[in-house]
Amino acid sequence: MLSNANQILLKELERALKAAALNITSMEYLVLRALYSKDGIQQCEIAEMVGRDKAGVCRCVTGLVKKELVRVEPVSYKCLRVYLTATARSLQPKVMQVAEIRHKALLDLLTPNELAAFTKALDKIIKNKTK
């Protein structure tokens, strides 16, 4: 159910990004958001931050390079450091505004008690992932 809900939320985010005339996918949004919080990190760090596999992040970064939203610098023969371009930085307010609107719409679906219970359940799952 969590996977299904996640897919629905990502599709809704992607529709909202498209409606706002932002030419980025939901996966590209996740990578950009990671870079907005910490620019110049390695692809493997991005994968960890967004909870996606390294190959998927690599493909996404390649697409963002083609869109001139990021640039890469090699750290080693199989590791790249990823940096935002000026274009990506200029899009940040609009990207984050779209994400905030989607976030608010999601929160509006739940009562305060439902949100508290859901948050508690997710926190429990996350904290027990290493067991």
Side-chain angles (χ1 to χ4, degrees):
M1 288 173 62
L2 284 174
S3 177
N4 190 26
N6 184 51
Q7 290 303 313
I8 291 167
L9 293 173
L10 288 174
K11 285 179 184 177
E12 289 299 317
L13 174 62
E14 200 154 316
R15 282 189 200 111
L17 292 165
K18 186 176 183 177
L22 294 165
N23 183 28
I24 59 173
T25 66
S26 57
M27 180 65 175
E28 289 170 338
Y29 160 79
L30 293 174
V31 170
L32 289 173
R33 185 168 179 132
L35 291 168
Y36 288 149
S37 69
K38 188 175 180 187
D39 196 16
I41 56 178
Q42 296 178 26
Q43 286 183 350
C44 56
E45 293 173 287
I46 295 169
E48 177 82 17
M49 288 175 77
V50 303
R52 296 292 196 260
D53 64 277
K54 292 175 192 173
V57 169
C58 180
R59 286 188 301 274
C60 184
V61 166
T62 298
L64 288 168
V65 168
K66 288 178 184 174
K67 292 178 180 182
E68 299 180 352
L69 295 175
V70 301
R71 64 180 176 81
V72 296
E73 290 181 7
V75 174
S76 68
Y77 76 97
K78 58 180 179 176
C79 185
L80 296 174
R81 193 168 294 280
V82 185
Y83 297 90
L84 294 165
T85 64
T87 302
R89 282 192 190 91
S90 71
L91 290 177
Q92 183 177 2
K94 192 170 185 180
V95 168
M96 298 311 291
Q97 179 185 29
V98 169
E100 182 61 32
I101 290 167
R102 290 301 318 142
H103 182 75
K104 184 179 179 331
L106 171 62
L107 292 180
D108 288 347
L109 293 174
L110 304 172
T111 67
N113 287 342
E114 289 171 332
L115 181 59
F118 188 59
T119 301
K120 184 177 179 181
L122 289 176
D123 188 49
K124 187 174 185 178
I125 291 167
I126 291 166
K127 284 182 178 174
N128 287 302
K129 74 177 182 180
T130 58
K131 290 184 178 181

